[in-house]
C-alpha cells in the first residue's frame, strides 16, 4: 500500500497562498503524484480562511495540545478542528496519513525554509534531503515553552514549509512558485525514501531556536520601539553585539546586547502575527549536524510500513 | 481662535503604523505644533486595533453613511464609533475640527500618496500644496458606487495619507518615516493657509478613479488567477492593452484587454483588504488640472473662520 502524505494549506486563515495551491492541485492533481505515495490535501482552518483571519478562537498551529484534543466538548473552534483533522487524517484516523506537510507564509524576509519542531529522525531525514536539493535553511523550533501544540508534531513525520515575505491576505505568484518548488523537493525525497533509495550526503545545517526577543515597552505595555530597519533586510543573518536591534521613535537605535552563549542568527523578524505573542524576532544558533544513518532508516521504515 | 486639525490613526485596526505615530506624538506633541493651528489626534477604531483586525463589524472607513450615522441604536460597532468620532470631533461636535487627516497604510507598492474622495475645493488646495512640496501622487477616489462612507468626507476638509507597501500588522520604521514626512508637509500647507499665505504654482496632477477589476473566478466563486507579478512592481504605472494582468496557476498570463476611453494607470494592486471587496486592482486616468484660485480661497476661509 502506498504511504500516505497529507498537505495542509490554510492552517492560518490569512496565509492565502497555500490554500490557493491546494485549490489549484484539486484541478491539476498530477503535480502531486509520486510513485509509492498517496498524496492528498486539506484546508487547515476553513472558517478562518473564509474570515481572512489567522484564527477564530485559538491559533490552530498551537492547538494540538492535550487540553484541546482530549476535550470532546471544547467550545474552541480550533480545538474542534484539530480533533477533526486527526480523526480524518491522523495516524489513527479514518484515512491515516504518515507524513504531514504544513504550508505557511510569513511577513518576514525569510525566503523558503523548513520548520521542524523536534528531533524525530524521520523528519530530520526529510528536511536534510530537501536541503541537499534546494539549499534552504531549516529552523528547529524546539524547547519553546511559550509555544507548543504544533500541527506537524501530531503526525509520525511532519514539518512546515514556510515562505516569505508576503503580507497576510495577499496572493503572490512568487510565493506560490517558491512553495511549489519546496513541496516538489519534499515529495521527491519522500518518493526516494518510499522506494528505499534515499541517500543523504551532506551534513545538515540547522538553525536551532534559542529564544525570542520582545519589543521594549512603555510601562503601559505599549511598544516603545520597533525593529531597526537593518533587521528587516533578511533573516538567517548573524546579529552581533552592538548591531542595531530596535529603533525608537526619536530615531535612536537600541543595539543588541549580545548573547554570552555564542553567535546568533535571527528568524521571523517582522512577522505580523507574532506581535500578539510578544515576539519581535527570534534568535537561533547555526549548527552543522553530521548525517545519522538512523534518520533515513526511520523515514524509510515509516513509508514502507 | 486657532483652526482645529484632527489626525486619526488606526481607522483600520490592522494598519498599526499610524497608531504607533499617534502614540509617539502623545509623548512628543511638539512635532505637530504649527502656528495658527490646534492639532490633536485620535485612534480611529480602538477595538479593531486591539484585535489587530481591519474592523469588527463593518469597515469604519465605509461607515460614515446615513444608515449608520442616523441610527442611535445601531448594533454595528463601527457605526457607533463613527457617531462617537463625529460627536466628539465632527463639525458640530463638542470640540469641532475643521480638517481631518486620516493615516492609512497599504500592502500595495504605492509609496506615499494622498486620497481624496470628492472635488471639494479646500481639500484640493491642501492636496495641491502637499504635492508641490513632495511630488506625491493623488488618487481621486470619486464616483465609486460600490464604496462610499469615507471618514474624510464627514469633515469640512479631509483626506487620507496612504503609505505602502507594508503587511498588515507590521510596524515599519520606513512606513512611519514616510507618514511623518507626508503629515509634516500637510501641516505646513495648513499653517500657510491659516496665515492667509498659501500660494499654489503648479497644475495639480490627479489620478481619477475609473473603476476596479475583480479577479477572474471559477464558477464556485473562487479566484482562478492572481495578479501578474508585473502588476506588483509598483502602482501609478501605465497599463497598456496586451500587457499581462493576471497569472493563472498553470503559468499562463491573462493580458489586459485595454480601456476604450484612453490610457489607464493602476492603483491599489495587491491590497490585501480589497480581496473581500472583489478588487484585484483599480484603474485611474491621469489628469492635470490647472489651479483654480477658489481652492485656496476655500481652504483659507475654512481655517480663518
Amino acid at each position: 500500500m502506498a504511504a500516505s502524505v497529507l498537505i495542509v494549506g490554510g492552517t492560518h486563515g490569512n496565509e492565502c497562498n497555500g490554500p490557493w495551491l491546494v485549490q489549484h492541485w484539486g484541478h491539476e492533481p498530477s503535480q502531486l503524484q509520486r510513485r509509492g505515495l498517496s498524496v492528498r490535501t486539506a484546508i487547515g482552518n476553513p472558517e478562518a480562511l473564509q474570515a481572512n483571519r489567522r484564527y477564530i478562537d485559538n491559533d490552530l498551529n498551537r492547538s494540538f495540545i492535550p487540553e484541546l484534543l482530549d476535550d470532546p466538548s471544547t467550545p474552541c473552534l480550533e480545538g474542534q478542528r484539530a480533533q477533526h483533522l486527526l480523526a480524518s487524517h491522523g495516524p489513527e484516523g479514518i484515512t491515516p496519513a504518515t507524513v504531514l506537510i504544513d504550508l505557511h507564509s510569513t511577513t518576514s524576509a525569510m525566503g523558503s525554509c523548513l520548520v521542524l519542531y523536534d528531533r524525530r529522525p524521520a523528519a530530520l531525514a526529510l528536511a536534510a534531503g530537501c536541503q541537499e536539493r534546494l539549499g534552504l535553511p531549516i529552523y528547529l523550533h524546539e524547547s519553546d515553552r511559550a509555544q507548543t501544540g504544533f500541527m506537524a508534531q501530531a503526525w509520525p513525520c511532519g514539518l512546515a514549509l514556510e515562505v516569505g515575505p508576503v503580507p497576510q491576505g495577499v496572493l503572490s505568484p512568487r510565493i506560490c512558485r517558491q512553495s511549489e518548488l519546496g513541496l516538489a523537493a519534499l515529495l521527491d525525497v519522500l518518493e526516494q525514501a518510499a522506494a528505499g533509495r534515499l541517500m543523504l550526503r551532506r551534513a545538515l545545517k540547522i538553525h536551532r531556536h534559542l529564544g525570542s526577543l520582545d519589543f521594549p515597552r512603555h510601562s503601559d505595555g505599549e511598544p516603545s520601539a520597533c525593529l531597526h530597519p537593518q533587521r528587516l533586510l533578511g533573516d538567517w543573518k548573524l546579529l552581533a553585539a552592538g548591531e542595531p536591534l530596535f529603533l525608537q521613535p526619536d530615531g535612536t537605535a537600541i543595539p543588541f546586547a549580545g548573547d554570552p552563549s555564542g553567535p546568533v542568527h535571527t528568524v521571523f523578524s517582522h512577522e505580523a502575527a507574532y506581535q500578539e505573542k510578544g515576539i519581535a524576532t527570534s534568535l537561533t544558533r547555526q549548527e552543522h549536524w553530521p548525517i545519522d544513518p538512523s534518520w533515513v532508516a526511520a523515514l524509510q521504515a515509516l513509508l514502507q510500513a
Side-chain angles (χ1 to χ4, degrees), chain A:
Chain A
M1 206 180 86
S4 194
V5 178
L6 177 66
I7 301 167
V8 176
T11 294
H12 294 136
N14 55 10
E15 299 174 5
C16 59
N17 292 277
W20 165 260
L21 289 171
V22 165
Q23 182 208 0
H24 165 58
W25 294 322
H27 297 284
E28 294 284 346
S30 61
Q31 283 195 15
L32 302 182
Q33 285 171 14
R34 294 293 189 285
R35 273 185 303 262
L37 301 180
S38 164
V39 182
R40 61 205 136 92
T41 61
I43 297 295
N45 197 337
E47 288 86 354
L49 180 64
Q50 182 66 33
N52 190 25
R53 288 167 57 186
R54 183 174 174 91
Y55 57 82
I56 303 296
D57 294 325
N58 194 55
D59 190 330
L60 177 60
N61 205 27
R62 307 293 185 276
S63 293
F64 288 78
I65 51 176
E67 303 93 286
L68 289 174
L69 294 177
D70 297 343
D71 178 1
S73 60
T74 177
C76 170
L77 186 137
E78 279 78 12
Q80 298 168 14
R81 185 67 191 158
Q83 292 178 15
H84 175 78
L85 286 166
L86 281 173
S88 303
H89 307 284
E92 278 111 51
I94 298 166
T95 51
T98 304
V99 181
L100 183 282
I101 300 174
D102 189 18
L103 302 178
H104 286 263
S105 65
T106 172
T107 62
S108 306
M110 293 176 70
S112 298
C113 70
L114 301 176
V115 186
L116 301 179
Y117 303 96
D118 51 47
R119 302 183 185 207
R120 288 182 295 166
L124 286 172
L126 175 56
C130 187
Q131 188 178 64
E132 283 198 3
R133 281 160 180 75
L134 299 181
L136 45 66
I138 297 167
Y139 173 40
L140 177 59
H141 190 181
E142 65 175 7
S143 306
D144 187 345
R145 272 177 301 178
Q147 299 196 67
T148 58
F150 299 101
M151 181 186 286
Q153 295 184 283
W155 271 261
C157 173
L159 50 71
L161 173 60
E162 184 87 58
V163 186
V166 63
Q168 297 168 345
V170 165
L171 256 181
S172 161
R174 188 176 63 78
I175 296 298
C176 287
R177 187 67 192 135
Q178 284 179 251
S179 302
E180 286 184 310
L181 291 172
L183 181 68
L186 289 167
L187 292 178
D188 290 347
V189 173
L190 290 171
E191 182 181 51
Q192 285 203 333
R197 293 187 288 105
L198 179 60
M199 302 272 287
L200 297 178
R201 295 169 184 84
R202 291 206 295 265
L204 180 65
K205 188 168 90 175
I206 281 277
H207 284 81
R208 180 170 59 80
H209 178 81
L210 298 177
S212 298
L213 297 178
D214 191 9
F215 296 93
R217 292 182 186 274
H218 292 294
S219 55
D220 64 1
E222 290 296 314
S224 62
C226 54
L227 276 174
H228 193 278
Q230 287 194 28
R231 298 280 71 72
L232 309 180
L233 301 177
D235 274 310
W236 313 108
K237 291 194 182 132
L238 190 68
L239 175 63
E243 285 193 279
L245 177 57
F246 297 109
L247 185 70
Q248 298 181 102
D250 66 1
T252 59
I254 300 176
F256 178 53
D259 188 307
S261 72
V264 298
H265 294 70
T266 59
V267 294
F268 283 110
S269 304
H270 219 222
E271 167 49 49
Y274 288 179
Q275 298 215 8
E276 70 175 23
K277 300 183 196 291
I279 297 175
T281 185
S282 292
L283 302 181
T284 67
R285 172 81 21 86
Q286 185 180 304
E287 296 176 350
H288 292 80
W289 294 2
I291 298 296
D292 187 314
S294 72
W295 300 349
V296 168
L299 181 59
Q300 296 193 158
L302 270 181
L303 294 175
Q304 296 171 340

